Amino acid sequence: MMKQDATLVKQAYYTLVDHFSKEENVLFPMAERMLTEAEKQELAERIRIK
């Protein structure tokens, strides 16, 4: 059972690394190009920790 757990953890790790890579290399640059400065400011305000 421990080997199976390790396999699941490894798969989750690779899934997260792939996801983060796509965010950094595809989604964030796309948003940077598509959003207006006002939209970027609104987004920054919405996600800012209060």
Side-chain angles (χ1 to χ4, degrees):
M1 179 136 139
M2 288 179 45
K3 185 175 181 180
Q4 182 182 9
D5 293 341
T7 299
L8 292 173
V9 168
K10 189 171 154 182
Q11 289 173 341
Y13 168 78
Y14 288 128
T15 299
L16 286 172
V17 168
D18 184 53
H19 173 80
F20 296 146
S21 176
K22 286 178 183 172
E23 280 184 339
E24 292 293 328
N25 296 302
V26 178
L27 297 176
F28 293 158
M30 184 187 308
E32 186 70 31
R33 289 189 308 269
M34 295 180 71
L35 296 175
T36 66
E37 288 303 316
E39 290 169 327
K40 291 176 198 175
Q41 182 62 34
E42 180 183 348
L43 181 60
E45 290 171 9
R46 286 178 164 215
I47 62 174
R48 189 168 290 129
I49 297 174
K50 298 183 182 206

Coordinates of all heavy atoms in Angstrom, one line a residue:
M1 N 0.8 -1.2 0.0 CA 0.0 0.0 0.0 C 0.9 1.3 0.0 O 0.5 2.2 -0.6 CB -0.9 0.0 1.2 CG -1.8 1.2 1.3 SD -3.4 0.9 1.7 CE -3.8 2.2 2.8
M2 N 2.0 1.2 0.6 CA 2.9 2.4 0.7 C 3.4 2.8 -0.7 O 3.5 3.9 -1.1 CB 4.0 2.3 1.7 CG 3.5 2.3 3.1 SD 4.7 2.1 4.4 CE 6.0 3.1 3.9
K3 N 3.7 1.8 -1.5 CA 4.2 2.0 -2.9 C 3.1 2.7 -3.7 O 3.4 3.6 -4.5 CB 4.7 0.7 -3.5 CG 5.3 0.9 -4.9 CD 5.9 -0.3 -5.5 CE 6.5 0.0 -6.8 NZ 7.1 -1.2 -7.4
Q4 N 1.9 2.2 -3.5 CA 0.7 2.8 -4.2 C 0.6 4.3 -3.8 O 0.3 5.2 -4.7 CB -0.5 2.1 -4.0 CG -1.7 2.6 -4.7 CD -3.0 1.9 -4.4 OE1 -3.1 1.0 -3.5 NE2 -4.1 2.1 -5.1
D5 N 0.7 4.6 -2.5 CA 0.6 6.0 -2.0 C 1.7 6.8 -2.6 O 1.5 8.0 -3.1 CB 0.7 6.0 -0.5 CG -0.5 5.4 0.2 OD1 -1.5 5.2 -0.5 OD2 -0.3 5.1 1.4
A6 N 2.9 6.3 -2.7 CA 4.0 7.0 -3.3 C 3.8 7.3 -4.8 O 4.1 8.4 -5.2 CB 5.3 6.3 -3.1
T7 N 3.2 6.4 -5.5 CA 2.9 6.6 -6.9 C 1.8 7.7 -7.0 O 1.9 8.6 -7.9 CB 2.3 5.3 -7.5 OG1 3.4 4.3 -7.4 CG2 2.0 5.5 -9.0
L8 N 0.8 7.7 -6.2 CA -0.2 8.7 -6.2 C 0.4 10.1 -5.9 O 0.0 11.1 -6.6 CB -1.4 8.4 -5.3 CG -2.2 7.2 -5.6 CD1 -3.2 6.9 -4.5 CD2 -2.9 7.5 -7.0
V9 N 1.2 10.2 -4.9 CA 1.9 11.5 -4.6 C 2.7 11.9 -5.8 O 2.7 13.1 -6.1 CB 2.7 11.3 -3.3 CG1 3.6 12.5 -3.1 CG2 1.8 11.1 -2.1
K10 N 3.5 11.1 -6.4 CA 4.3 11.4 -7.5 C 3.4 11.9 -8.7 O 3.8 12.9 -9.3 CB 5.1 10.2 -8.0 CG 6.1 10.4 -9.0 CD 7.0 9.1 -9.2 CE 7.6 9.0 -10.5 NZ 8.3 7.8 -10.7
Q11 N 2.3 11.3 -8.9 CA 1.4 11.7 -10.0 C 0.8 13.1 -9.7 O 0.7 13.9 -10.6 CB 0.3 10.7 -10.2 CG 0.7 9.4 -10.9 CD -0.4 8.4 -10.9 OE1 -1.4 8.4 -10.1 NE2 -0.2 7.4 -11.8
A12 N 0.5 13.3 -8.4 CA -0.1 14.6 -8.0 C 1.0 15.7 -8.2 O 0.7 16.8 -8.7 CB -0.6 14.5 -6.6
Y13 N 2.2 15.4 -7.8 CA 3.3 16.3 -8.0 C 3.5 16.7 -9.4 O 3.5 17.9 -9.8 CB 4.6 15.7 -7.4 CG 5.8 16.5 -7.8 CD1 6.1 17.7 -7.1 CD2 6.6 16.1 -8.8 CE1 7.2 18.4 -7.4 CE2 7.8 16.9 -9.2 CZ 8.1 18.0 -8.5 OH 9.2 18.8 -8.8
Y14 N 3.5 15.7 -10.3 CA 3.7 16.0 -11.8 C 2.5 16.8 -12.3 O 2.7 17.7 -13.2 CB 4.0 14.8 -12.6 CG 5.3 14.2 -12.3 CD1 5.5 12.9 -12.0 CD2 6.5 15.0 -12.4 CE1 6.8 12.3 -11.7 CE2 7.7 14.5 -12.2 CZ 7.9 13.1 -11.9 OH 9.1 12.6 -11.6
T15 N 1.3 16.5 -11.9 CA 0.1 17.2 -12.3 C 0.2 18.7 -11.9 O 0.0 19.6 -12.7 CB -1.1 16.6 -11.7 OG1 -1.2 15.3 -12.2 CG2 -2.4 17.4 -12.2
L16 N 0.6 18.9 -10.6 CA 0.8 20.3 -10.2 C 1.9 21.1 -10.9 O 1.7 22.2 -11.3 CB 1.0 20.3 -8.6 CG -0.2 20.0 -7.8 CD1 0.2 19.8 -6.3 CD2 -1.2 21.1 -7.9
V17 N 3.0 20.5 -11.1 CA 4.1 21.1 -11.8 C 3.7 21.5 -13.2 O 3.9 22.6 -13.7 CB 5.4 20.2 -11.8 CG1 6.4 20.7 -12.8 CG2 5.9 20.1 -10.4
D18 N 3.0 20.6 -13.9 CA 2.5 20.8 -15.2 C 1.5 22.0 -15.2 O 1.5 22.9 -16.0 CB 1.8 19.6 -15.8 CG 1.4 19.8 -17.2 OD1 2.2 20.2 -18.1 OD2 0.2 19.5 -17.5
H19 N 0.6 22.0 -14.2 CA -0.4 23.1 -14.1 C 0.3 24.4 -13.9 O 0.0 25.4 -14.5 CB -1.4 22.8 -12.9 CG -2.3 23.9 -12.6 ND1 -3.4 24.1 -13.3 CD2 -2.3 24.8 -11.7 CE1 -4.1 25.1 -12.8 NE2 -3.4 25.6 -11.8
F20 N 1.2 24.5 -12.9 CA 1.9 25.7 -12.6 C 2.7 26.2 -13.8 O 2.8 27.4 -14.1 CB 2.8 25.6 -11.4 CG 2.1 25.3 -10.1 CD1 2.7 24.5 -9.2 CD2 0.8 25.8 -9.9 CE1 2.0 24.2 -8.0 CE2 0.2 25.5 -8.7 CZ 0.8 24.7 -7.7
S21 N 3.3 25.3 -14.6 CA 4.1 25.7 -15.8 C 3.1 26.3 -16.8 O 3.5 27.3 -17.4 CB 4.7 24.4 -16.3 OG 5.4 24.8 -17.5
K22 N 2.0 25.7 -17.0 CA 1.0 26.3 -18.0 C 0.5 27.7 -17.5 O 0.3 28.5 -18.4 CB -0.2 25.3 -18.2 CG 0.2 24.1 -19.0 CD -1.0 23.2 -19.1 CE -0.5 21.9 -19.9 NZ -1.6 20.9 -19.9
E23 N 0.3 27.8 -16.2 CA -0.1 29.2 -15.7 C 1.0 30.2 -16.1 O 0.7 31.3 -16.6 CB -0.3 29.1 -14.2 CG -1.6 28.6 -13.8 CD -1.8 28.7 -12.3 OE1 -0.8 28.8 -11.5 OE2 -3.0 28.6 -11.9
E24 N 2.2 29.9 -15.7 CA 3.3 30.8 -15.9 C 3.7 31.1 -17.4 O 4.0 32.2 -17.7 CB 4.6 30.3 -15.2 CG 4.5 30.3 -13.7 CD 4.4 31.7 -13.1 OE1 5.0 32.6 -13.6 OE2 3.7 31.8 -12.0
N25 N 3.6 30.1 -18.2 CA 4.0 30.2 -19.6 C 2.9 30.4 -20.6 O 3.2 30.9 -21.7 CB 4.8 28.9 -20.0 CG 6.1 28.8 -19.2 OD1 6.9 29.7 -19.2 ND2 6.2 27.7 -18.4
V26 N 1.7 30.2 -20.2 CA 0.6 30.4 -21.2 C -0.5 31.3 -20.6 O -0.8 32.4 -21.2 CB -0.1 29.0 -21.5 CG1 -1.3 29.2 -22.5 CG2 0.9 28.1 -22.2
L27 N -1.1 31.0 -19.5 CA -2.2 31.7 -19.0 C -1.9 33.1 -18.6 O -2.6 34.1 -18.9 CB -2.9 31.0 -17.9 CG -3.5 29.6 -18.3 CD1 -4.1 28.9 -17.1 CD2 -4.6 29.8 -19.4
F28 N -0.9 33.3 -17.8 CA -0.5 34.6 -17.3 C -0.1 35.6 -18.4 O -0.5 36.7 -18.5 CB 0.5 34.6 -16.2 CG 0.0 33.9 -14.9 CD1 0.9 33.4 -14.0 CD2 -1.3 33.9 -14.6 CE1 0.5 32.8 -12.8 CE2 -1.8 33.3 -13.4 CZ -0.9 32.7 -12.5
P29 N 0.8 35.1 -19.3 CA 1.1 36.0 -20.4 C -0.1 36.3 -21.3 O -0.2 37.5 -21.8 CB 2.2 35.2 -21.2 CG 2.8 34.2 -20.2 CD 1.6 33.9 -19.3
M30 N -1.0 35.4 -21.5 CA -2.2 35.7 -22.3 C -3.0 36.7 -21.6 O -3.5 37.7 -22.2 CB -3.0 34.4 -22.4 CG -4.2 34.6 -23.3 SD -5.3 33.1 -23.4 CE -4.2 31.8 -23.8
A31 N -3.2 36.6 -20.3 CA -4.0 37.6 -19.5 C -3.3 38.9 -19.6 O -4.0 40.0 -19.7 CB -4.2 37.1 -18.1
E32 N -2.0 39.0 -19.5 CA -1.2 40.2 -19.6 C -1.5 40.9 -20.9 O -1.6 42.1 -20.9 CB 0.3 39.9 -19.4 CG 1.1 41.1 -19.3 CD 1.0 41.9 -18.0 OE1 0.6 41.3 -17.0 OE2 1.1 43.1 -18.1
R33 N -1.6 40.2 -22.0 CA -1.8 40.8 -23.3 C -3.3 41.2 -23.5 O -3.6 42.2 -24.1 CB -1.5 39.8 -24.4 CG 0.0 39.5 -24.6 CD 0.3 38.7 -25.8 NE -0.5 37.5 -25.9 CZ -0.1 36.3 -25.4 NH1 1.0 36.2 -24.8 NH2 -0.9 35.2 -25.6
M34 N -4.2 40.4 -22.9 CA -5.6 40.6 -23.2 C -6.3 41.6 -22.3 O -7.3 42.3 -22.7 CB -6.4 39.3 -23.1 CG -5.9 38.3 -24.2 SD -6.8 36.8 -24.1 CE -8.4 37.3 -24.7
L35 N -5.9 41.7 -21.0 CA -6.6 42.6 -20.1 C -6.1 44.0 -20.2 O -5.0 44.3 -20.5 CB -6.3 42.1 -18.6 CG -6.9 40.7 -18.3 CD1 -6.4 40.4 -16.9 CD2 -8.4 40.7 -18.4
T36 N -7.1 44.9 -20.0 CA -6.7 46.4 -20.0 C -6.0 46.7 -18.7 O -6.1 45.9 -17.7 CB -8.0 47.2 -20.1 OG1 -8.8 47.0 -19.0 CG2 -8.8 46.9 -21.4
E37 N -5.4 47.8 -18.6 CA -4.8 48.2 -17.4 C -5.8 48.3 -16.2 O -5.5 47.9 -15.1 CB -4.0 49.5 -17.5 CG -2.7 49.4 -18.4 CD -1.8 48.4 -17.8 OE1 -1.5 48.4 -16.6 OE2 -1.2 47.6 -18.6
A38 N -7.0 48.8 -16.5 CA -8.0 48.9 -15.5 C -8.4 47.5 -15.0 O -8.7 47.3 -13.8 CB -9.2 49.7 -16.1
E39 N -8.6 46.6 -15.9 CA -8.9 45.2 -15.6 C -7.8 44.6 -14.7 O -8.1 43.9 -13.7 CB -9.2 44.4 -16.8 CG -10.5 44.8 -17.5 CD -10.6 44.1 -18.9 OE1 -9.6 43.9 -19.6 OE2 -11.8 43.9 -19.3
K40 N -6.6 44.8 -15.1 CA -5.5 44.3 -14.3 C -5.5 44.8 -12.9 O -5.3 44.1 -11.9 CB -4.1 44.6 -14.9 CG -3.9 43.8 -16.2 CD -2.6 44.3 -16.9 CE -2.5 43.9 -18.3 NZ -1.3 44.4 -19.0
Q41 N -5.8 46.1 -12.8 CA -5.8 46.8 -11.4 C -7.0 46.2 -10.6 O -6.8 45.9 -9.4 CB -6.0 48.3 -11.6 CG -6.0 49.0 -10.3 CD -4.7 48.9 -9.5 OE1 -3.6 48.8 -10.1 NE2 -4.8 48.9 -8.2
E42 N -8.1 46.0 -11.2 CA -9.3 45.5 -10.5 C -9.0 44.1 -10.0 O -9.3 43.7 -8.9 CB -10.5 45.4 -11.4 CG -11.7 44.9 -10.7 CD -13.0 44.8 -11.6 OE1 -13.0 45.3 -12.7 OE2 -13.9 44.1 -11.2
L43 N -8.3 43.3 -10.9 CA -8.0 41.9 -10.5 C -7.0 41.9 -9.4 O -7.1 41.1 -8.4 CB -7.4 41.2 -11.7 CG -6.9 39.7 -11.5 CD1 -8.1 38.9 -11.1 CD2 -6.3 39.2 -12.8
A44 N -6.0 42.8 -9.4 CA -5.0 42.9 -8.3 C -5.7 43.2 -7.0 O -5.4 42.7 -6.0 CB -4.0 43.9 -8.7
E45 N -6.7 44.1 -7.1 CA -7.4 44.6 -5.8 C -8.2 43.4 -5.3 O -8.3 43.2 -4.1 CB -8.2 45.8 -6.1 CG -7.4 47.0 -6.4 CD -8.2 48.2 -6.9 OE1 -9.5 48.1 -6.9 OE2 -7.6 49.2 -7.2
R46 N -8.8 42.6 -6.2 CA -9.7 41.5 -5.7 C -8.9 40.4 -5.1 O -9.4 39.7 -4.2 CB -10.5 41.0 -6.9 CG -11.6 41.8 -7.4 CD -12.3 41.2 -8.6 NE -13.5 41.9 -8.8 CZ -14.6 41.2 -9.2 NH1 -14.6 40.0 -9.5 NH2 -15.7 41.9 -9.4
I47 N -7.6 40.2 -5.6 CA -6.9 39.0 -5.0 C -5.9 39.4 -3.9 O -5.3 38.6 -3.3 CB -6.1 38.3 -6.1 CG1 -5.1 39.2 -6.8 CG2 -7.0 37.7 -7.1 CD1 -4.2 38.4 -7.8
R48 N -5.8 40.7 -3.7 CA -4.9 41.2 -2.6 C -5.4 40.7 -1.3 O -6.6 40.8 -0.9 CB -4.9 42.8 -2.6 CG -3.8 43.3 -1.7 CD -3.6 44.8 -1.9 NE -3.0 45.0 -3.2 CZ -3.4 45.8 -4.1 NH1 -4.5 46.6 -3.9 NH2 -2.8 46.0 -5.3
I49 N -4.5 40.2 -0.5 CA -4.9 39.7 0.9 C -5.2 40.9 1.8 O -4.4 41.9 1.8 CB -3.7 38.9 1.5 CG1 -3.5 37.7 0.6 CG2 -4.0 38.5 2.9 CD1 -2.3 36.8 1.0
K50 N -6.3 40.8 2.4 CA -6.7 42.0 3.3 C -6.5 41.6 4.7 O -6.6 40.6 5.2 CB -8.2 42.3 3.0 CG -8.4 42.7 1.6 CD -9.8 43.1 1.3 CE -9.9 43.5 -0.2 NZ -10.8 44.4 -0.6

